[in-house]
Amino acid sequence: LTEEEVKEYLRFVSFPDSSVLPEPSLSNLKTIQICHMLTFPYEVLSLHYTTKAEIKIDPRSLFEKMVRNRRGGYCFENNILLYTILKALKYNIWKVFARVNQNHSKNPDAEPHWSGLSHLLLIVNFGSKPSNNEADFDDGDFYVVDGGFGGNGSTEPIPLPIKKRESYGSGLAPAQTIIEVADLRSIPNTLQPRTYIFKYRRDASQPWVVNYMFTTAVVFDEDIEVSNYFTSTNPDCLFTNTVICHKLVLIDGEMARASIVNAEFKLLKGGEIVKRDQLRSESDRIECLQRWFQIKLTPEEIQGIHGKKTEIVSE
């Protein structure tokens, strides 16, 4: 992206001063991440409201879709756009894969059921030297940045290494997130690099729920293309079977999370569900997308869901 396009992104996400490119710093990183997440929904509408289901993840396509066409995306889209912006701003940053605990939302008390390498997140190094091995993470200045996990992700950079057990906000007080070194001795006959576990809980009285695990190994664009193709085309994948849209929203200056999963809308604030609606028609869902997520679908996109199993068929 050009310098002017980076400034266009900063203006679009309401970064406090978009007239100049901000210097790389932890403070600016925190601001960019929360601005990004307040602007771009986590959504997979491009797999449903279309006649040709396709998710393009090159930076140019993402900039056109998300900034110029005011849409969101799922993890690959959100985090690749965020990576592209941070890289242009001279952050020392790389992409890593994660395995998602597929029990984290519907069956959080069960043992983790790990997905393939289907989630993408970012690591930023504020240290004076590049990372060459795992030992660097014992005394470095590294932060995990994830702008695209959806419902239970963190809204601020979380530091590595984990020198002490410390939780961080999710943007939805009193919810908390934490990263710990994973104990993989329960997985037999494997030689694993150092692996980390990301956990979430709705408030301090609740047990921690495992969301995903990741290593610090760099992934290449070709790796991401393979994973993106699988998650966006496999007929048994969550994303091809479910209309999903999550977004952080501000209500009276307080953070809340709006969510659509198929035909249900929920608004979570202060650790509680304060609004729940059943969407009884496509018109209801389209109106909800526009009101809460600022997504206005075109007539062609709306026509694209007709006949699909994810269409809401009015009684």
Side-chain angles (χ1 to χ4, degrees):
L1 301 181
T2 67
E3 180 176 324
E4 285 307 310
E5 286 171 329
V6 174
K7 289 180 179 179
E8 183 180 347
Y9 165 93
L10 293 172
R11 288 192 298 271
F12 184 67
V13 302
S14 301
F15 187 81
D17 183 4
S18 57
S19 61
V20 296
L21 298 183
E23 293 291 324
S25 70
L26 180 57
S27 175
N28 283 334
L29 179 62
K30 289 180 177 180
T31 302
I32 291 170
Q33 181 176 350
I34 191 62
C35 286
H36 181 100
M37 297 180 74
L38 282 167
T39 302
F40 299 109
Y42 176 96
E43 50 104 335
V44 292
L45 303 179
S46 296
L47 299 180
H48 304 278
Y49 288 95
T50 181
T51 56
K52 183 183 179 182
E54 181 182 28
I55 291 183
K56 296 180 179 180
I57 54 173
D58 62 283
R60 172 59 51 199
S61 295
L62 293 175
F63 185 82
E64 291 296 326
K65 174 186 177 180
M66 298 174 69
V67 177
R68 299 233 165 115
N69 293 330
R70 300 174 177 267
R71 286 285 300 276
Y74 68 168
C75 71
F76 297 118
E77 296 169 283
N78 267 294
N79 280 331
I80 290 175
L81 177 61
L82 187 55
Y83 169 89
T84 302
I85 297 300
L86 294 175
K87 193 74 173 176
L89 295 175
K90 310 301 183 187
Y91 284 84
N92 184 0
I93 186 171
W94 68 97
K95 310 174 208 119
V96 302
F97 271 148
R99 299 182 186 274
V100 177
N101 173 19
Q102 297 180 87
N103 287 329
H104 81 272
S105 58
K106 292 187 177 180
N107 195 12
D109 295 328
E111 285 294 311
H113 176 207
W114 298 113
S115 72
L117 297 171
S118 59
H119 180 56
L120 186 75
L121 57 148
L122 311 173
I123 295 181
V124 173
N125 178 11
F126 283 108
S128 58
K129 63 177 183 178
S131 169
N132 294 316
N133 55 63
E134 291 287 352
D136 292 336
F137 287 84
D138 292 329
D139 56 6
D141 195 8
F142 301 88
Y143 287 82
V144 173
V145 177
D146 191 350
F149 189 66
N152 297 332
S154 178
T155 58
E156 63 179 312
I158 300 181
L160 292 176
I162 296 83
K163 293 182 178 178
K164 59 181 179 178
R165 185 179 175 90
E166 187 171 353
S167 59
Y168 293 83
S170 73
L172 287 172
Q176 297 175 322
T177 59
I178 195 170
I179 292 177
E180 299 175 342
V181 175
D183 181 356
L184 298 180
R185 288 174 294 183
S186 62
I187 304 178
N189 303 320
T190 57
L191 179 62
Q192 296 282 351
R194 184 178 299 177
T195 303
Y196 299 93
I197 295 282
F198 176 89
K199 299 179 178 180
Y200 169 93
R201 63 183 177 185
R202 185 168 290 185
D203 60 59
S205 69
Q206 301 296 314
W208 290 103
V209 175
V210 175
N211 279 5
Y212 56 77
M213 69 175 178
F214 64 96
T215 74
T216 56
V218 174
V219 299
F220 300 102
D221 291 343
E222 291 79 6
D223 303 319
I224 302 170
E225 288 285 352
V226 171
S227 187
N228 176 63
Y229 181 79
F230 175 85
T231 55
S232 63
T233 61
N234 187 284
D236 297 323
C237 184
L238 169 70
F239 303 122
T240 59
N241 286 280
T242 313
V243 174
I244 301 171
C245 193
H246 302 292
K247 188 175 185 290
L248 290 180
V249 295
L250 288 174
I251 299 177
D252 299 326
E254 185 177 339
M255 203 87 72
R257 193 185 303 277
S259 173
I260 289 177
V261 178
N262 286 329
E264 183 178 61
F265 170 79
K266 291 191 294 187
L267 184 66
L268 181 71
K269 183 180 178 184
E272 302 292 336
I273 297 173
V274 297
K275 184 178 177 62
R276 188 196 300 262
D277 290 332
Q278 194 68 24
L279 307 174
R280 302 188 181 280
S281 67
E282 276 302 325
S283 295
D284 285 353
R285 188 157 63 186
I286 291 163
E287 181 182 350
C288 188
L289 285 168
Q290 188 165 350
R291 177 183 177 188
W292 289 101
F293 305 90
Q294 291 76 55
I295 292 177
K296 187 174 183 180
L297 298 172
T298 66
E300 293 77 16
E301 289 169 331
I302 294 170
Q303 182 67 29
I305 201 169
H306 289 177
K308 290 188 171 73
K309 59 186 176 182
T310 50
E311 179 186 12
I312 300 176
V313 180
S314 304
E315 297 179 359

